[in-house]
Amino acid sequence: MSHVAQAIIDRHDHPASWWNEFWSDPQQHFGPARQELIDIAVAEAEDPSAITIVDIASGNGRYAVPFAVAGMRTTAIEKSPVACGVIQERATNNGVAIDIIGGDFLSLPNEKTNHGFNVVFSSGLLEEVAAEHQPAVVEKVQSITRPCGLLMLKFCLEIQDRGVTVEDDSVLPLFKKDEWTVVRHDVDKHVRESIATIDFENRLRTELIIARKST
Ligand SMILES: C[S@@+](CC[C@H](N)C(=O)[O-])C[C@H]1O[C@@H](n2cnc3c(N)ncnc32)[C@H](O)[C@@H]1O
């Protein structure tokens, strides 16, 4: 097992330097984007260019790039400068523009997020954050979702070799019923093979919450 593989198993709140090393290796990625999630986002308006969407903890732009290719006005937030470079390169190669904000999402001032987006998307962030900070992440992604906007939150509950990353039933209660309507909630009951192409066994259990903010 490579040192990157060992480190990913040991990780808790990895610094940007760790992710820089990870994304420096073009072999490392988390698989292709799920087309149905892109379709759900783009269905928010007849004209995709009317949709402002943010991909938080974008990594190599696995979702940000297809969001932009689908015509949505796309922002990517990512703390690893190397990953930001990869997103930029992939955007250029696809002939699209992405507003890339480099930095830690949690300490990002609200002005930097244009005071909100029609669609807020995040895949693979919550499990990277220590359990005590996870509610703050959820609160912040909620706060940058505009009224009537859609929040799509995808995260790993459990990863083989790492154990529990996000406690079962800990995130949904953070969606207050008078502010949010949950339109989709998928939870894996059992660990399954990941589509990630990383160099060690990676079986996991994920949760997806899609919720609409009220006015
Ligand atoms: C597991 S990867 C997921 C990447 C991508 N979203 C995907 O689904 O393929 C986690 C990414 O989140 C970034 N990240 C972790 N914590 C972050 C934070 N607080 N602010 C911004 N980016 C963060 C890491 O640099 C890394 O690129």
Side-chain angles (χ1 to χ4, degrees), residues 93-134:
N93 291 343
N94 282 277
V96 292
I98 295 178
D99 181 16
I100 301 167
I101 301 176
D104 185 335
F105 170 65
L106 270 176
S107 43
L108 214 61
N110 271 359
E111 308 83 77
K112 280 244 185 189
T113 60
N114 296 327
H115 302 284
F117 297 87
N118 304 126
V119 184
V120 172
F121 179 92
S122 187
S123 159
L125 170 62
L126 221 47
E127 66 265 29
E128 302 304 322
V129 175
E132 64 265 33
H133 300 310
Q134 289 169 1

Side-chain angles (χ1 to χ4, degrees), residues 120-193:
V120 172
F121 179 92
S122 187
S123 159
L125 170 62
L126 221 47
E127 66 265 29
E128 302 304 322
V129 175
E132 64 265 33
H133 300 310
Q134 289 169 1
V137 173
V138 176
E139 194 184 319
K140 196 160 166 92
V141 293
Q142 290 177 337
S143 75
I144 63 164
T145 308
R146 286 191 184 145
C148 302
L150 204 63
L151 172 54
M152 306 168 81
L153 199 55
K154 192 161 91 58
F155 48 92
C156 286
L157 293 162
E158 186 181 344
I159 303 175
Q160 195 177 38
D161 300 324
R162 275 176 69 190
V164 171
T165 46
V166 177
E167 286 288 340
D168 273 280
D169 304 321
S170 67
V171 180
L172 199 61
L174 303 173
F175 285 76
K176 292 186 188 132
K177 285 197 167 61
D178 53 341
E179 284 174 31
W180 294 91
T181 305
V182 175
V183 293
R184 180 154 164 188
H185 183 214
D186 301 344
V187 185
D188 287 335
K189 285 202 176 73
H190 306 287
V191 287
R192 58 173 172 79
E193 287 298 325

Side-chain angles (χ1 to χ4, degrees), residues 71-102:
M72 293 179 277
R73 283 189 280 149
T74 306
T75 298
I77 300 174
E78 170 54 54
K79 74 175 181 182
S80 152
V82 170
C84 289
V86 175
I87 300 167
Q88 183 55 66
E89 190 183 338
R90 293 182 68 192
T92 304
N93 291 343
N94 282 277
V96 292
I98 295 178
D99 181 16
I100 301 167
I101 301 176

Side-chain angles (χ1 to χ4, degrees), residues 2-23 30 57 78-81 83 103-106 124-131 133-134 159 161-162 165 198 200:
S2 74
H3 69 289
V4 169
Q6 187 55 52
I8 207 168
I9 289 166
D10 297 339
R11 75 189 172 194
H12 290 287
D13 245 334
H14 278 302
S17 57
W18 188 90
W19 282 105
N20 281 339
E21 190 183 346
F22 182 86
W23 292 118
F30 292 95
E78 170 54 54
K79 74 175 181 182
S80 152
D104 185 335
F105 170 65
L106 270 176
L125 170 62
L126 221 47
E127 66 265 29
E128 302 304 322
V129 175
H133 300 310
Q134 289 169 1
I159 303 175
D161 300 324
R162 275 176 69 190
T165 46
I198 42 184
F200 62 101

Side-chain angles (χ1 to χ4, degrees), residues 26-42:
Q27 302 302 320
Q28 305 281 18
H29 64 79
F30 292 95
R34 273 168 61 180
Q35 185 60 43
E36 62 161 339
L37 300 182
I38 299 161
D39 294 344
I40 289 169
V42 86

